[in-house]
Amino acid sequence: DDTGFALASDLARLDRVRAAGAAESAVLYCNRIVEAMARRTVGPTPRGAAPSLAGLITDLEKYHQLPRPLKSLLHLLRSLGNDARHAVQPVTAAEVDVAFAVLLRWLQWAFCESPSGPQLPALARASRPVDVLLPRDLARLVDDAATTGDEVLARLTSGRTDGALLSPLLAAAAAEALLGRKLWDQALTVLRAGLERFPRDRRLRQLLGLYWSRRGGDERSAEHLHRARAELEPLLPQGGAPATDEDTFGILGGVYKRLAELEPAAADEWLSKSAATYRAGWEQSRRTNEYLGINTATLAFFRGEDVRALAEPIRDRMEAVEARLRAAGHGPRPLTFWDQATWATAELLLRNWAAAGELYRDAFARFPEQVGYIDVTVWQARLILDRTGESARAAEILGR
């Protein structure tokens, strides 16, 4: 096509650079293949800049049935690619093997499992399973790390570390899976072991910050949140340093926002830091990360700023996303709960009461099981309405 990408050609080049021991080049080819194929799967982008690979992976999970474990692995591959691109740390041969394993998992999904793919019976010839292309122990560890983290944890706690610390990607994937299950002590065990072996790995450091952030939120502990802050702040770009992963901005912005609640005497300072962090992340994403964007707009609103220039691009982007998804056959109202709530909040900030109400009520009706998310969304909407002097409209707009 007009992009010049050909899968067979890139796979052949990947084979050559792997055979030559060019580790960084091999990781970059794995990322290039995933990104080129992801853009084709996601299709035409809405108005504004094309989404980053991070945004493409998120779209695949939200709207194209990409399994969550594979989403986690792809994000970790992307992080490894960023490190290789910016020479953050050397890439080892073991990491190339893990990157190749993730790429194979991606190709398996794209060609055999994706609803929009060719749904081939098998990736390899003669209907051989994809695992035959990998060492059996590595294939098992990659799958476990992305789904439960139990096998990686068991090896670390028993002293049998063979394979478990083959790559920071495996440790990070396992820690992320354990954090998702709120197994705090187990996640911390994996993170500490991973950082002892790979002390400069940015994803492991980011996940340690996420660990303290989530514990701090669950336990309403300012002490934990300050530990999260101490881990995450050094990951922000300094001077001419490479761009920071967008997730870091989101996690750290949330840490500051919760500190404002727990330390009211310093609330203005923490809210100012939160607003600046969300905005920096949104700008880095070229204004394509709606989560960072809507938090930027909402915090600016609470600080008394005119937010039209912030909220309008988010509203326009969500309209375009919905139109693109409808055109692709995803149904009459294809947005996820959070995407639709983001759009509704943008309309609320723009004082488009009718449009906001329609979006809120429809989202609550389509996702009644999302009780916690609905409660948070209603709470924030009421705060916005109170600040605008329109609290009397709450029942009409929110339907509750």
Side-chain angles (χ1 to χ4, degrees), residues 259-333:
L259 280 171
E261 181 184 356
L262 295 177
E263 297 181 348
D268 288 346
E269 177 188 355
W270 293 128
L271 286 176
S272 178
K273 284 180 174 288
S274 181
T277 303
Y278 281 128
R279 186 185 290 261
W282 190 43
E283 295 295 346
Q284 181 180 290
S285 77
R286 297 174 294 175
R287 299 194 171 198
T288 62
N289 186 313
E290 295 89 5
Y291 170 79
L292 295 172
I294 200 61
N295 276 286
T296 298
T298 302
L299 282 170
F301 169 80
F302 285 128
R303 298 174 70 217
E305 300 175 23
D306 183 353
V307 299
R308 182 163 293 276
L310 297 171
E312 282 182 344
I314 298 168
R315 185 267 315 277
D316 293 346
R317 182 171 171 80
M318 296 317 306
E319 282 184 338
V321 168
E322 184 187 52
R324 172 169 57 83
L325 291 168
R326 279 203 311 267
H330 286 257
R333 181 67 86 180

Side-chain angles (χ1 to χ4, degrees), residues 82-251:
N82 287 339
D83 285 353
R85 185 176 296 107
H86 298 296
V88 173
Q89 57 190 351
V91 177
T92 66
E95 287 174 303
V96 174
D97 288 342
V98 175
F100 182 60
V102 175
L103 175 63
L104 289 176
R105 287 284 177 262
W106 160 256
L107 293 173
Q108 174 80 22
W109 178 79
F111 285 103
C112 304
E113 300 166 14
S114 169
S116 58
Q119 298 187 328
L120 302 177
L123 183 60
R125 291 186 205 175
S127 296
R128 292 183 302 165
V130 68
D131 285 356
V132 302
L133 301 174
L134 297 169
R136 181 168 297 179
D137 191 54
L138 174 60
R140 185 172 68 252
L141 272 176
V142 168
D143 284 341
D144 168 76
T147 52
T148 67
D150 289 340
E151 176 66 18
V152 172
L153 176 67
R155 293 193 186 195
L156 293 176
T157 53
S158 68
R160 180 191 165 211
T161 60
D162 55 309
L165 296 178
L166 181 68
S167 160
L169 192 151
L170 285 176
E176 189 172 353
L178 292 165
L179 283 173
R181 298 162 63 194
K182 292 191 176 184
L183 298 175
W184 305 126
D185 292 343
Q186 294 90 329
L188 186 59
T189 295
V190 173
L191 287 168
R192 283 176 170 165
L195 284 166
E196 184 177 352
R197 173 71 176 83
F198 307 103
R200 297 175 57 197
D201 187 78
R202 293 175 68 84
R203 180 57 177 167
L204 287 171
R205 293 165 64 194
Q206 182 193 68
L207 286 170
L208 185 58
L210 179 63
Y211 163 83
W212 288 115
S213 172
R214 288 190 178 174
R215 277 200 61 183
D218 266 18
E219 300 172 21
R220 295 185 59 78
S221 166
E223 179 185 354
H224 288 346
L225 294 173
H226 282 294
R227 295 188 73 166
R229 187 170 63 84
E231 296 293 342
L232 295 166
E233 285 177 342
L235 299 180
L236 293 180
Q238 307 291 330
T244 297
D245 191 297
E246 291 167 19
D247 285 351
T248 300
F249 291 104
I251 300 166

Side-chain angles (χ1 to χ4, degrees), residues 31-101:
N31 273 269
R32 170 184 158 95
I33 291 168
V34 170
E35 181 165 354
M37 294 177 64
R39 289 197 186 282
R40 291 185 179 184
T41 302
V42 170
T45 59
R47 289 191 293 274
S52 62
L53 178 55
L56 290 168
I57 294 169
T58 297
D59 272 358
L60 287 167
E61 191 243 346
K62 288 196 295 188
Y63 299 117
H64 297 274
Q65 299 181 33
L66 181 75
R68 183 171 289 273
L70 180 54
K71 174 193 172 186
S72 297
L73 288 175
L74 292 176
H75 275 305
L76 290 166
L77 174 62
R78 174 182 59 82
S79 179
L80 182 60
N82 287 339
D83 285 353
R85 185 176 296 107
H86 298 296
V88 173
Q89 57 190 351
V91 177
T92 66
E95 287 174 303
V96 174
D97 288 342
V98 175
F100 182 60

